Amino acid sequence: MTQAQDPQITPQTKVIGLLAEFDSPDALLAAAERVRGAGYLKTDAFSPFPIHGMDEAMGIRPTGLPWLALLVGMFGGLAGLFGELWANSIDYPIMVSGKPFFSLPATIPVSFELTILGAGVATFLGMLVLNGLPRLANPLFRKPGFLRATTDRFFLMIEATDPKFDLAPTRSLLESLQPLGVEACEADTSPSPMPKFVLPVLVLMGCMALIPPALIARARVTKSEKPRFDTFPDMDYTPGYKAQAPAPTNLFADRRASRPPVPGTVPRGSLQDDDRLYRGIDPDQQTAMRLSSQTGTMLTSTSGPAEEAAEEEEIAEEDAPDAAPDPTDPEDTADAPMAAEDDEPQPAWVTSFPLPVTRELMVRGRQRYDIYCSACHGLGGDGSGLVSRRALELEQGTWIPPLSLHVDSVLEQPVGQLYHTVTHGVRSMPGYGDQLIVEDRWAIVLYIRALQRSRNASPADVPSDLLETLRDL
Amino acid sequence: MTAKPHAELRDLYHFGEERQRAVRLLGAIGVVGLLLGVIFSLFEAEGLRRFAFTYLVSYTYFLSLGLGALCLVLVSHLTRAGWNVVWRRLAEILGATLPCWALMFLPILGFLLFGGGMLFHWNDPEIVRNDPLIQEKVPYLNAGFFTVRAAIYLAVWAWLGSYYYRNSRLQDRSGDKELTLRMQKWSGPALILYGFTVTFASFDWMMSLDAHWFSTIFGIYFFGGAVMGAIAALILAAQFLQHRGLLKESITVEHYHDLGKLLFGFVFFWGYIAFSQYMLIWYANIPEETQWFLVRQTGGWLGISLILLVGHFLLPFAGLMSRHVRRNRMLLAGWSAWLLVMHWLDLYWLIMPQLSKGAGPSFGLVDLCCLIGLGCLYASTVLWATGDHALIAVRDPRLAESLAFKNL
C-alpha cells in the first residue's frame, strides 16, 4: 500500500491479481500449464507474439466466433441476393443486355462481397466483444515494466476473481515457476469524481457541433435573391466551347463556337459529288429538264414557279377541298399530300442502280429492310408491320398506315425516287438517311424491287431447279 | 521466435523391398493399359482420335498433380515455411516425376506432327484455309512453334522438379543449411517461370483445342485445379504411407489440419476463378466466347457442368469448412479422394467436348484403359522417383519446428 500524497483523498486499492514475469515463451508456456494443472481457471497470458500451444496450455476452449462469422456471412450473402432480386426484378425491373430480370450469375459478385463483409465485420466486432474490448483503462498498464510485454517479456496473471485465488498460496505457486518476479496487481478503486470543467466543455462542444447542420438546414428552407455562391468559379464557368452556343471568349470575331468549314474546302468524305449515287438524280437529264421547264414557264405564265414545292402543295389542297375536309382523318391526310406530290414536277430520278447489283447487295438489302422498314411496312412490303398493326389496334386516330409497296404509284416510281424516300422520308414517314449509309439505302431499294417483282412473278423468274419444289407445294 | 521445437524424428522413412517390384509391375500394367486403349480405339467411331483426346485428358491430369506439387514446394521455399517440412519431400517427389512426364508428352507431339488436325484442329490445313480467324492465329498456332514452346515448358518443369528434389536430397546427406538458402533464393524466379509456362502450356494444350475461343484466365483456372489436386494427392499419399507404417508420428493431425485448410482454400480459389471466367463471358454474351460454354451447356455436357459446380465447388466448400472435418483423417481423406475425381472430371470437361461437337459425354473402354494405363505409369514414376531416398527431409533445418508444429 502506497503512502497517500494528498491527505484529503485516501487512495483505496484492491488486488485484482498476481502477475508473474518470464523471459521466454517456453517458460510462459510451461508456467501456464502448471497453473492450469493447479486448478486455476481465470488466468491471462501476455506476450509480444502469439505462442503456438498457448490456448491449449491455458485451457482456452474454442469460442462461438466461427459460428457468428458463418451466420452473419450467410446473412450478408442472402441480403445481397435479396437486394438485387428486389431492386432489379421487383421494385424497378430493368432489362440489361437481354438477360432475365433476375439472373444468378450477375448477383453472385455482390452477394459474395457481402458474405465476406458480413463474416469479416462479425469476426472483428465479435472478437472485440468476446474480449471485453475496447477498454479505456487497464490497471496493468500502470505497472512499471509491464509494457515490455510488447517487446521481450512474457507475463502470466492469475486473476483475483478466480475461486481458488488466495494471495499467499497463489504467490508461492507462481514463485515456484522460476519467474523473474511476482507482483500483485492493484486497481485504484478510490472514487474519482469527474473534473468540474468536463461537463461544460462537453456541452459546449455538443452545441458547436450542431452549428453546421443548423446552417445547412436553414439553407435548405430559405430562399434568396442573391446569385449562387461559386466555390470554384473556373469550374462553374469553364472556358471550354460548347457546340451551338456562343463562345465565352472573343477568340473569334463572330463568337460562334461551332466553326464553319474554311471557304473553298470540303471535309473528308463529304464531297458526295456523284448525284446518281448520293441523291438518286441523273444530273444530265436534270439539266435538260430545267432548261425545258424554264422554257415552259416562259411560254405558259399560268403555272407557278415549278421549284417551289410548298406553294404547289397549297395549290393542290385548295384545288381539292372536298378530298381533304378533315385534316385529322388519317386516310384523308394520307391521300392529300400524295395528290399534291403527283402534281409536283419530279426531278430526273435515276432509273437504274448507280452501283453494281450483286447477290451480296440483295442479301444486305433484305437484312436492312427487315431491320429498319419491316416494323411498319411488313416483311412483305404490304404495310402490315407490327407497329402499324398495333397502332391501328389502339385506334388513336393519329396513325397514318404506311403505303403498300405494291400499289401502282410505288411500282411506277423510279429507283432514284425510292432512294430519295428512304433517305428523306415522305409524308409522315421519317427519313432514314441518318441511320443508313448510302450503299445500304440502295440495297433496300433493290430489295423493294425484288419484293415488288415477287408479287408479279412468272414461272420463268424462278430457277428451274427450284421450280420443281414449288410444284410440290 | 515461437516456442522452441523440441520434437525429434523417430519414424521409419524408407520404403521397403516391395518398392522395386511395384515400380516394374505398375509400369507393365501401364504400358499394357495404354496399348489396350490404342487397340480398343481402333474399333471406335472416332478411331485414334478418341484415344488422342482421352490420352490428353489423362496426361494433363497426372501432369497437373506434379505441377501443383512443384508449386507447393516453390511457395514453401519462397515463404520460408517451417510447418510443412514433414510432407514437403512428398511434394518434391511428385514434382520429380516431371522429367519422366515430359517424355510422356511425346505421343501428343506425335498426334500433332503426324496426325494433322486429329487433336488440334488448327493444324489441319483444310480447316485453316476456310477459317479466317484461325488464319490470323497461325503465327502462334503452328506445329513448329508449338513444339518449341512445349519443349521449353517441359524443360523448365523437368529442371525445376529435379533441381529442388536433388538439392533437398543433398541436404539429407550433408545437412548443409546453405542448400536451404539457395533453394529459397531461386524460388522467386522459379515461380515466375512456373507461372508463365503453366499459363501458356494450358493455353496451348487445352484452350487451343477450340482455336476460336480464348480466355485469359484459363491458365489460372488450370493452375487452381492443379494445386487443389496436388494437395488432395499429398493428403492421400501421406495417409497411405502412414497406413504402411511410415512417417507415423511425423505427420500429425496438425499438419493434416493445415493441408485441409489449403485444400479448402484452393477449392474456393478454383470456384472463384471458374466463376470469374464464366461470368465475364456470360455477361458480355459475345458468340465467339459463349460458344465454348454453349457446347458444355447442351446435351449431356450440361449434367457434367452442374456436377462440377456442385461436386467441385459447393459440396466440398461446405464439407471442408469445419475444422472438425479438417482434423478428422478419414473425412479429410474422403474429401481428398472425391476432389481428385472431380479434378479429373474438370479436365475431362475441358478437353473432351472438343472431340465431337454436339455429342454428349461418353466414357468407354478406351478412356478407362488410358486412364488406368497412365495412372499406373504415373504411380510407377512416383515410386521410381522415390527410390531408396528418405520420405522426409531428414536434415532440413526446419524439420524440428515442423515436427513440433501446432495450429493453436
Side-chain angles (χ1 to χ4, degrees), chain A residues 26 49 52-53 99 103 105 112, chain B residues 1 268 275 282-283 406 408:
Chain A
D26 289 340
F49 46 77
H52 285 301
K99 304 282 196 287
S103 34
F112 173 70
Chain B
M1 268 307 296
F268 197 83
F275 177 73
W282 173 83
Y283 219 118
K406 287 244 169 64
L408 286 171

Side-chain angles (χ1 to χ4, degrees), chain B residues 92-166:
Chain B
E92 282 165 357
I93 291 171
L94 287 192
T97 60
L98 287 170
C100 291
W101 225 239
L103 292 178
M104 299 305 290
F105 187 73
L106 288 177
I108 295 171
L109 210 54
F111 290 128
L112 176 84
L113 296 178
F114 304 111
M118 180 192 267
L119 188 52
F120 298 101
H121 67 124
W122 48 261
N123 197 33
D124 186 338
E126 194 57 39
I127 289 175
V128 174
R129 197 173 303 129
N130 300 316
D131 197 325
L133 280 175
I134 298 186
Q135 280 164 22
E136 293 292 321
K137 299 184 182 184
V138 160
Y140 184 83
L141 287 180
N142 60 71
F145 192 24
F146 179 96
T147 312
V148 171
R149 285 197 308 270
I152 294 174
Y153 309 146
L154 296 167
V156 167
W157 299 337
W159 179 70
L160 285 179
S162 49
Y163 175 84
Y164 277 89
Y165 188 37
R166 192 175 63 239

Side-chain angles (χ1 to χ4, degrees), chain B residues 140-192:
Chain B
Y140 184 83
L141 287 180
N142 60 71
F145 192 24
F146 179 96
T147 312
V148 171
R149 285 197 308 270
I152 294 174
Y153 309 146
L154 296 167
V156 167
W157 299 337
W159 179 70
L160 285 179
S162 49
Y163 175 84
Y164 277 89
Y165 188 37
R166 192 175 63 239
N167 278 289
S168 185
R169 275 187 289 129
L170 280 179
Q171 199 174 44
D172 282 359
R173 286 198 291 278
S174 67
D176 185 3
K177 294 189 172 80
E178 281 298 312
L179 287 167
T180 299
L181 292 177
R182 197 184 306 160
M183 287 191 279
Q184 179 195 319
K185 190 175 88 179
W186 288 112
S187 58
L191 265 173
I192 294 175

Side-chain angles (χ1 to χ4, degrees), chain A residues 25-26 29 49 51-56 62 70 96-97 99 103 105-106 108-109 112, chain B residues 1-4 6 254 268 272 275 278-279 282-285 321 323 405-408:
Chain A
D26 289 340
L29 203 61
F49 46 77
I51 299 173
H52 285 301
M54 197 43 146
D55 288 27
E56 212 178 313
L70 180 69
V96 179
S97 63
K99 304 282 196 287
S103 34
I108 285 179
F112 173 70
Chain B
M1 268 307 296
T2 56
K4 281 207 184 65
H6 38 65
E254 302 292 337
F268 197 83
Y272 187 92
F275 177 73
Y278 178 79
M279 193 195 70
W282 173 83
Y283 219 118
N285 209 4
M321 195 183 284
R323 72 195 290 271
F405 171 68
K406 287 244 169 64
N407 258 298
L408 286 171

